[in-house]
Amino acid sequence: MHPIVIIGSGMAAYAVAREFRKLDPDTALMMICADDARNYAKPTLSNALVGNKAPAQIALGDAEKMSNQLNMQILNHTWVKQIDTAAHCLSLEKEGQTTQQSYSKLILALGATPIRVPLQGNAADQLHVVNNLNDYTAFRAELDQKTAQRVVILGAGLIGCEFANDLQQSGHQATVIDLAEQPLARLLPSDVAQVFQEKLQQAGIGFELGTTVNAIDQHADAYAVSLANGKVLDADVLLSAIGLRANTQLAEQAGIQVSRGIVANTQLETSVADIYAVGDCAEVHGTLLPYVMPIMQQARALAKTLSGTTTQVHYPAMPVAVKTPAAPLTVLPIPHEVEVSWTIETQEDGLIAKAIDANDTLRGFVLLGASAGKQRLSLSKLVPDLIPAAL
Ligand SMILES: Cc1cc2nc3c(=O)[nH]c(=O)nc-3n(C[C@H](O)[C@H](O)[C@H](O)COP(=O)(O)OP(=O)(O)OC[C@H]3O[C@@H](n4cnc5c(N)ncnc54)[C@H](O)[C@@H]3O)c2cc1C
């Protein structure tokens, strides 16, 4: 019997392996990944400075340790180049050598890739992105090496705002730029975003909104960041956090249906037999949710399916805690096809915003401030499941 093969070594891949091993200690399991297979919690990357964690302290285990712990063969630094779905066989490439690997079942946990915008200037390629531990190590190396530490962040989404807060709190000067007129434009109504922004500004974070970066040029040891609004910002380190795109190419080449992500049904099956998709690469039941809680739900369901009990994923309301201590924020994102109107209740240190649909049902919320955050559980219970435990 060929092994169950997981492609990827991110949270989704390790969560599936861990949940599967709880149910089945023996069936052959193999992980194949392009990176070194270190196991770490990616969310730690955007608050590691305040947590006083050096990049080398973030990993919880290397490939050898994880292989022993999970009784799983790990092929790291290995790219999967092709999937032959009819033959249940993968083409692998490591250090220029090509090999084949058969699978019984295949789990695609391929993640997502940071979007990059083309920029002008002699230092346009100096923009860091942080979507894995290696990226973060390179970002921290430049940060640590420079003395004056003005950091310009492109993108005022969740990751951009979290990094801004972490940098500001650890003695740097962060400035965030976004094309939208508000931070967290995909997650917050504008009135709430304004209060959120004010709190971050009170902590010293700068914002340049409604504009974008045209060019980045290096002068001596610093960068000049030219904005579309005519301003020029000086920076020592540059970070781009303008969003991620699901990695769908490998699946698409194999004839697996893709849309914004790799299309999967509520049992996490793709359009091709014996191939499943999880994590940031997966569009499950029409929804892309690139967060930790959906990954854990997916991993539990898929582990049961792989061990013989076909199981649907359950998506209850899964609020996301944004790691911005200057403005503690919890958001339950609204499904994108749902029309809502917002009601906003002001609290002593923040506010509660509720997204109500045409049937008067709560579909999402925003809790800003520590006392509002306490409503997280009680409000979550009022929101209908995105995918019920069993359809
Ligand atoms: C800075 C940051 C902070 C975050 N904070 C939070 C938070 O507070 N809360 C929250 O809920 N979510 C947060 N997230 C999102 C969360 O971390 C992600 O949803 C999650 O880590 C995605 O895991 P993944 O396994 O799907 O993808 P990834 O971690 O991207 O893993 C993809 C894997 O696939 C491998 N791979 C891809 N293609 C191939 C191939 N062809 N061959 C071999 N290997 C391949 C890669 O090498 C990698 O190992 C954060 C994200 C970031 C970047």
Side-chain angles (χ1 to χ4, degrees):
M1 187 71 176
H2 299 302
I4 296 176
V5 174
I6 304 172
I7 311 178
S9 69
M11 289 186 92
Y14 272 117
V16 171
R18 206 175 297 114
E19 292 299 323
F20 180 69
R21 276 291 176 247
K22 287 182 192 165
L23 304 174
D24 180 336
D26 300 319
T27 297
L29 195 56
M30 177 184 278
M31 174 179 275
I32 304 174
C33 56
D35 51 34
D36 55 19
R38 276 181 295 172
N39 177 30
Y40 66 98
K42 199 185 283 191
T44 317
L45 302 181
S46 48
N47 64 1
L49 281 166
V50 164
N52 212 11
K53 281 207 158 152
Q57 296 170 303
I58 291 174
L60 306 166
D62 62 10
E64 192 185 350
K65 177 175 169 188
M66 298 316 297
S67 171
N68 292 332
Q69 203 176 83
L70 294 165
N71 181 25
M72 171 171 75
Q73 191 181 351
I74 299 183
L75 308 185
N76 59 6
H77 303 296
T78 304
W79 281 97
V80 177
K81 290 293 191 183
Q82 251 176 341
I83 308 170
D84 182 337
T85 59
H88 280 51
C89 189
L90 307 173
S91 299
L92 311 183
E93 194 179 288
K94 181 171 187 168
E95 292 158 4
Q97 304 271 29
T98 305
T99 53
Q100 309 292 314
Q101 173 62 50
S102 296
Y103 63 86
S104 57
K105 310 259 182 206
L106 181 66
I107 293 94
L108 305 176
L110 304 170
T113 300
I115 296 167
R116 285 181 181 266
V117 279
L119 297 172
Q120 304 291 311
N122 68 13
D125 59 351
Q126 297 299 307
L127 214 54
H128 289 270
V129 291
V130 174
N131 189 39
N132 58 46
L133 192 45
N134 286 340
D135 293 342
Y136 186 66
T137 306
F139 173 64
R140 278 286 290 268
E142 191 177 9
L143 208 57
D144 292 345
Q145 168 202 322
K146 303 226 166 144
T147 44
Q149 301 204 336
R150 298 154 298 182
V151 184
V152 165
I153 301 171
L154 187 49
L158 183 141
I159 293 170
C161 288
E162 289 189 349
F163 273 114
N165 200 152
D166 198 40
L167 287 157
Q168 193 70 30
Q169 239 184 306
S170 51
H172 305 86
Q173 168 58 59
T175 303
V176 187
I177 301 161
D178 203 299
L179 205 48
E181 296 288 349
Q182 62 165 80
L184 298 174
R186 294 220 188 119
L187 295 172
L188 304 187
S190 56
D191 295 354
V192 178
Q194 197 182 334
V195 182
F196 175 74
Q197 183 184 335
E198 282 164 12
K199 285 181 183 279
L200 293 192
Q201 281 169 325
Q202 282 157 16
I205 296 168
F207 282 90
E208 290 290 341
L209 298 173
T211 189
T212 189
V213 175
N214 281 343
I216 300 173
D217 289 285
Q218 186 158 15
H219 302 295
D221 210 18
Y223 303 108
V225 182
S226 307
L227 305 186
N229 66 7
K231 289 191 189 168
V232 179
L233 307 178
D234 293 324
D236 302 301
V237 181
L238 309 162
L239 177 64
S240 172
I242 57 169
L244 298 165
R245 192 168 290 128
N247 290 330
T248 55
Q249 206 185 355
L250 181 68
E252 193 172 10
Q253 282 168 353
I256 298 168
Q257 192 190 345
V258 305
S259 175
R260 290 175 305 140
I262 301 170
V263 172
N265 64 16
T266 55
Q267 289 158 15
L268 304 165
E269 296 164 327
T270 67
S271 60
V272 170
D274 297 326
I275 303 183
Y276 304 82
V278 287
D280 283 7
C281 70
E283 183 176 331
V284 178
H285 197 51
T287 310
L288 264 182
L289 283 178
Y291 306 111
V292 174
M293 271 178 78
I295 287 177
M296 298 308 155
Q297 295 293 111
Q298 293 164 7
R300 279 192 282 272
L302 185 54
K304 287 186 193 156
T305 299
L306 294 173
S307 54
T309 310
T310 302
T311 303
Q312 288 189 165
V313 66
H314 174 210
Y315 275 3
M318 295 180 282
V320 180
V322 183
K323 301 186 294 295
T324 46
L329 184 70
T330 303
V331 182
L332 177 65
I334 306 152
H336 70 275
E337 74 285 0
V338 176
E339 290 280 317
V340 294
S341 52
W342 288 92
T343 63
I344 300 177
E345 217 179 279
T346 309
Q347 299 256 308
E348 202 182 316
D349 65 342
L351 52 83
I352 297 179
K354 296 178 186 168
I356 313 284
D357 71 9
N359 299 318
D360 232 11
T361 302
L362 183 67
R363 300 303 298 265
F365 54 77
V366 179
L367 310 174
L368 181 61
S371 55
K374 291 180 187 147
Q375 307 261 346
R376 171 192 170 122
L377 276 181
S378 55
L379 286 178
S380 294
K381 285 186 189 150
L382 302 176
V383 180
D385 288 355
L386 215 49
I387 304 177
L391 278 179

